[in-house]
Amino acid sequence: MNLVNFRFEIDADGIALVTWDMPGRSMNVITPEVMTELDQIVETITNDAAIKGAVVTFGKGVGGADLTMLKIAGDEFARRAKAEGEEAAMRAFVDQTKHPSVLYRRLETCGKPVAAAINGVCMGGGFELALSCHYRVVADTDKARVGLPEVKVGLFPGAGGTQRVARLMPTADALQMLFKGEQIRPAAAKKMGLVHEVAPAAEVVEGAKAWVKANPNAKAPWDDPKFKLPSGKVFSPAGMMIWPPANAIYRRETYDNYPAAKAILQSVFEGLQLPMDLALQVESKYFASILLSKEAGAMIRSLFLSMGELNKGARRPANIPSTDLKKIGVLGAGFMGAGIAYVSALAGLDVVLIDRDQEQADKGKAYSDKVVSSQIAKGRAKATDKDALLARIHATADYADLKGCDLVIEAVFEDRAVKAEATKRAQAVLGPDVVFASNTSTLPITSLAETSLRAENFIGVHFFSPVEKMMLTEIIMGERTGEKALSVAMDFVRAIKKTPIVVNDTRGFYVNRCVIAYMLEAHLMLMEGVPPAMIENAARMAGMPVGPLALTDETGVDLAWRILQATKKDLGDAAINSQQEKLIGSMVEKNQRFGRKNGKGFYDYPAGGQKSLWPGLANIAGKRLDPADVSVKDLKDRSLFAAALEAARCMFEGVVTDPREADVGSILGFGYAPFTGGTLSFIDGMGEKAFVARAKELAGKYGPRFEPSAKLIEMAERGETFYGTYGERKKAA
């Protein structure tokens, strides 16, 4: 065999050790070349009488299919459909995409015992390969993980995953695992029945070999005629206790927006009624259709390809050497500053955490203690990790302690005067050469930079709350921000394992402009008399993870009020909506309802109880529409269009210059309907012409804020798309 991506060795006992280790890659992935080599390996194991069994292991972490390859396969389907007809193209496409499933089944039925030795991350199609082995040993290490995360990028396991998992575990547990797509630790995987043994890392291969030697007649459980499904037959009293609720839960959680989740449900339901070989054919049929779905294409592009490119520093200046960050300063130990200190210390950086007095600084450090203690309680960290992390955070009220910092992040109160004072005090210690970043929510970076010693070293680094959970960081370029500041900010964001997007300066930047438009629309619906529950439910039906009223509570109703007042002060009365001002002002000024932070916002948050919408909202609105008279489609579209139109404006104004950043930023920043691929993908997916027509309808009903801009109308008339126009322009640059 001529192998590049695998090593193949046969020991004295006739056991073949197959090591998957692709050269030049940080992780093993499934490619056509890998499948070709694996074909040869399976044939050799099957037909060589000297081979008594095999162990499959991994020289590095293993994921699923190379999603770039899947995109190419989709493009090939489109070409063949045009040339040969859709039916012929689909047959060829199914044959192509089911290759891993067929190959894994051949390994499973080769007539010889096969074990998997998992010594690190083993996800997606890599774990499906392990599932096709008769025995699985996983290393007892912090780095080892198994799982099937395909649903997170709009796909589902298509190489036998849905069928094998559903035969290893009770049906309800299997569905939950497949729907969540989580990474599973070794002990949990054993408890779930996904692996058979957890062993020290140095012993997994030998343990797998020992099992192969001891089980020469091994076969998969489902290939035994006496095999019975863990939850019994689908059409049985027990089965009927599972499937109707499963369907209801699927609809409640997805609102039918995610074809991949539906395909999981269908594949398991149909597959469990069939022998394994037929069940795999059912899975392959659904897998091919999902690969060609608009939703999968959009999610793969935004949540895998684009996000991967941005995480690798697609927007970082190539001519600036990387920064070796060791120590950073964080000004302000409130909720945001404390979160920034935590993620920085978690990344191994020393942190100087400053507040107005020692007591407040210590409170900020205590937040890190609370977060890491929670991680320990969940088994995700150790006590030694906590000690090391807290030792890296120096809480103080003395600005002189900033000496030696490589970067300073200001995260004080959202007030120009407070920020200016913090900037001056820090730069008095550090001088003009250290890059200074402001974590402001809406205040323009160019104006904040006026108080700095050197504007080219001043940049915005906007985190989202809670910092330790939110994956996005928005880097804002002021008018005079230089490449050095951008490079240092990018290096910092990548060091703390966040996804960076780079935007140009404007009030609210990019993400907040979109999310403010989304929340404004909900506030206006409320003042129109739309029942609050309808507003929240319609937004979730549209694909948003939380309703806009709940989101306002999470970010702070009082913050919304401060932003309104700051905007009014800077730009005048016409810059804000009077109905929104009436609503938010009444909640904050008259009713002291600040959001989740004080247990009172659009929702009430009783201690130890479930939140519920505040009944007093009806009194502020002063009217209530009959739900039967409210168009749910209009409510859904108003939520999606409000943010998408604002994203388009940001693109045309040059606030965001890359469609990848617009889409990734909208999904990671405020959860914009992930199945659409993001704000601009939503427009492209709908088609600019159809989008403009619907926007004009909404403008006629609800106001000029829905009027599409002249540039968007021009794009529609020319048949252009954001990715076709701006994406290609970015590539050319």
Side-chain angles (χ1 to χ4, degrees), residues 409-420:
I409 301 165
E410 170 269 301
V412 300
F413 191 71
E414 191 76 351
D415 179 275
R416 287 182 183 279
V418 177
K419 289 180 179 295

Side-chain angles (χ1 to χ4, degrees), residues 231-505:
S231 296
K233 294 181 178 180
V234 169
F235 287 101
S236 68
M240 288 304 101
M241 295 294 288
I242 295 169
W243 288 102
N247 188 54
I249 292 169
Y250 154 76
R251 292 189 178 278
R252 183 191 71 194
E253 295 299 318
T254 70
Y255 292 97
D256 230 11
N257 287 322
Y258 293 88
K262 187 174 184 178
I264 288 172
L265 202 64
Q266 292 170 312
S267 292
V268 175
F269 177 75
E270 295 177 26
L272 288 180
Q273 299 175 59
L274 299 168
M276 178 58 86
D277 290 300
L278 290 177
L280 292 173
Q281 290 185 37
V282 167
E283 182 191 72
S284 294
K285 176 191 71 174
Y286 282 116
F287 182 63
S289 67
I290 292 303
L291 276 179
L292 297 174
S293 69
K294 180 175 72 174
E295 291 82 0
M299 290 179 75
I300 288 171
R301 180 171 66 186
S302 293
L303 295 175
F304 180 78
L305 300 176
S306 295
M307 196 158 80
E309 290 159 1
L310 296 175
N311 284 337
K312 290 175 183 175
R315 294 297 310 279
R316 189 190 187 282
N319 59 320
I320 305 292
S322 60
T323 315
D324 183 19
L325 294 169
K326 290 185 171 63
K327 180 180 177 182
I328 69 159
V330 179
L331 312 184
F335 186 60
M336 293 300 290
I340 296 167
Y342 169 76
V343 297
S344 301
L346 186 66
L349 299 173
D350 290 326
V351 181
V352 178
L353 181 61
I354 292 184
D355 213 302
R356 63 179 180 268
D357 55 47
Q358 189 64 45
E359 181 181 359
Q360 294 303 313
D362 288 339
K363 282 183 180 178
K365 182 173 180 176
Y367 181 80
S368 289
D369 192 333
K370 178 183 174 182
V371 174
V372 74
S373 295
S374 173
Q375 295 294 303
I376 292 170
K378 295 173 183 174
R380 297 174 183 171
K382 299 176 181 177
T384 52
D385 298 330
K386 173 180 172 178
D387 294 340
L389 185 144
L390 293 176
R392 288 193 285 270
I393 301 175
H394 173 55
T396 180
D398 188 355
Y399 275 73
D401 291 343
L402 290 171
K403 190 173 182 180
C405 284
D406 304 306
L407 167 71
V408 172
I409 301 165
E410 170 269 301
V412 300
F413 191 71
E414 191 76 351
D415 179 275
R416 287 182 183 279
V418 177
K419 289 180 179 295
E421 175 66 18
T423 301
K424 288 176 182 177
R425 292 185 68 183
Q427 292 196 329
V429 174
L430 293 168
D433 295 331
V434 173
V435 172
F436 198 93
S438 176
N439 175 56
T440 176
S441 299
T442 56
L443 297 174
I445 292 300
T446 301
S447 61
L448 294 179
E450 292 172 2
T451 61
S452 71
L453 295 176
R454 186 171 292 164
E456 55 265 42
N457 284 344
F458 195 97
I459 195 166
V461 179
H462 177 211
F463 289 88
F464 297 84
S465 179
V467 176
E468 67 274 10
K469 292 182 180 178
M470 298 297 285
M471 297 168 62
L472 183 73
T473 301
E474 195 174 30
I475 297 176
I476 304 103
M477 300 288 287
E479 289 179 7
R480 293 175 58 190
T481 302
E483 287 193 339
K484 173 192 171 184
L486 174 58
S487 300
V488 171
M490 289 282 284
D491 291 342
F492 169 65
V493 171
R494 291 174 66 195
I496 60 174
K497 295 180 172 58
K498 302 290 183 187
T499 297
I501 64 169
V502 180
V503 305
N504 290 317
D505 198 17

Side-chain angles (χ1 to χ4, degrees), residues 148-167:
L148 299 170
E150 288 87 342
V151 73
K152 293 185 175 181
V153 289
L155 297 175
F156 81 104
T162 65
Q163 302 310 308
R164 293 188 176 92
V165 165
R167 286 164 172 77

Side-chain angles (χ1 to χ4, degrees), residues 463-732:
F463 289 88
F464 297 84
S465 179
V467 176
E468 67 274 10
K469 292 182 180 178
M470 298 297 285
M471 297 168 62
L472 183 73
T473 301
E474 195 174 30
I475 297 176
I476 304 103
M477 300 288 287
E479 289 179 7
R480 293 175 58 190
T481 302
E483 287 193 339
K484 173 192 171 184
L486 174 58
S487 300
V488 171
M490 289 282 284
D491 291 342
F492 169 65
V493 171
R494 291 174 66 195
I496 60 174
K497 295 180 172 58
K498 302 290 183 187
T499 297
I501 64 169
V502 180
V503 305
N504 290 317
D505 198 17
T506 187
R507 180 176 292 273
F509 319 126
Y510 168 67
V511 173
N512 274 355
R513 275 182 56 169
C514 292
V515 78
I516 286 170
Y518 168 60
M519 291 192 290
L520 167 64
E521 203 55 38
H523 301 160
L524 296 183
M525 291 175 191
L526 189 63
M527 296 302 283
E528 290 166 13
V530 178
M534 283 193 76
I535 297 170
E536 296 290 84
N537 289 334
R540 292 198 64 214
M541 290 169 69
M544 308 302 284
V546 295
L549 303 181
L551 182 60
T552 309
D553 277 359
E554 293 293 336
T555 57
V557 185
D558 57 335
L559 176 60
W561 180 242
R562 289 200 300 272
I563 290 171
L564 277 172
Q565 295 310 297
T567 304
K568 185 177 180 179
K569 181 180 178 181
D570 288 354
L571 303 178
D573 291 356
I576 65 172
N577 187 289
S578 60
Q579 287 294 99
Q580 185 185 35
E581 184 180 31
K582 177 184 174 183
L583 170 65
I584 303 300
S586 178
M587 293 189 68
V588 174
E589 298 287 300
K590 293 182 182 179
N591 294 284
Q592 301 296 297
R593 303 189 70 87
F594 303 150
R596 182 183 277 276
K597 66 179 69 176
N598 77 333
K600 298 185 298 181
F602 286 96
Y603 287 79
D604 285 319
Y605 299 87
Q610 285 193 332
K611 70 180 183 181
S612 60
L613 283 158
W614 178 45
L617 291 173
N619 296 329
I620 298 177
K623 52 187 171 182
R624 185 178 188 278
L625 297 175
D626 186 333
D629 296 332
V630 179
S631 166
V632 174
K633 176 172 172 49
D634 280 6
L635 295 182
K636 291 165 62 177
D637 282 354
R638 288 172 70 177
S639 290
L640 293 176
F641 273 68
L645 283 163
E646 193 63 31
R649 293 183 194 106
C650 287
M651 198 80 194
F652 297 139
E653 293 170 17
V655 175
V656 63
T657 60
D658 189 328
R660 297 175 300 179
E661 292 177 305
D663 279 343
V664 171
S666 66
I667 295 174
L668 298 188
F670 64 101
Y672 186 88
F675 73 92
T676 68
T679 45
L680 297 186
S681 281
F682 172 64
I683 301 175
D684 280 0
M686 187 175 183
E688 271 66 5
K689 188 173 182 179
F691 181 88
V692 164
R694 178 58 174 154
K696 288 181 176 179
E697 285 180 19
L698 294 172
K701 288 184 180 181
Y702 303 107
R705 62 189 176 278
F706 286 105
E707 281 290 346
S709 67
K711 285 189 176 181
L712 187 54
I713 293 171
E714 286 175 15
M715 284 182 68
E717 290 173 347
R718 293 174 184 164
E720 296 177 348
T721 64
F722 281 100
Y723 274 85
T725 301
Y726 292 89
E728 291 304 317
R729 188 180 301 169
K730 181 59 65 176
K731 285 180 186 176

Side-chain angles (χ1 to χ4, degrees), residues 42 45-47 105-114 134:
V42 172
I45 292 170
T46 304
N47 298 317
R105 181 61 174 158
R106 277 172 34 213
L107 178 66
E108 187 174 59
T109 58
C110 71
K112 298 174 183 178
V114 183
H134 306 118

Side-chain angles (χ1 to χ4, degrees), residues 111-192:
K112 298 174 183 178
V114 183
I118 302 168
N119 42 20
V121 174
C122 187
M123 308 298 290
F127 186 49
E128 287 180 287
L129 172 59
L131 287 172
S132 70
C133 298
H134 306 118
Y135 193 77
R136 290 168 291 283
V137 185
V138 63
D140 185 14
T141 68
D142 288 338
K143 292 183 178 180
R145 298 285 191 280
V146 299
L148 299 170
E150 288 87 342
V151 73
K152 293 185 175 181
V153 289
L155 297 175
F156 81 104
T162 65
Q163 302 310 308
R164 293 188 176 92
V165 165
R167 286 164 172 77
L168 288 169
M169 302 164 62
T171 304
D173 295 340
L175 289 172
Q176 186 177 48
M177 177 205 164
L178 293 166
F179 284 150
K180 287 186 173 181
E182 294 177 337
Q183 296 190 11
I184 303 166
R185 293 169 182 268
K190 186 175 187 297
K191 187 176 180 181
M192 295 164 73

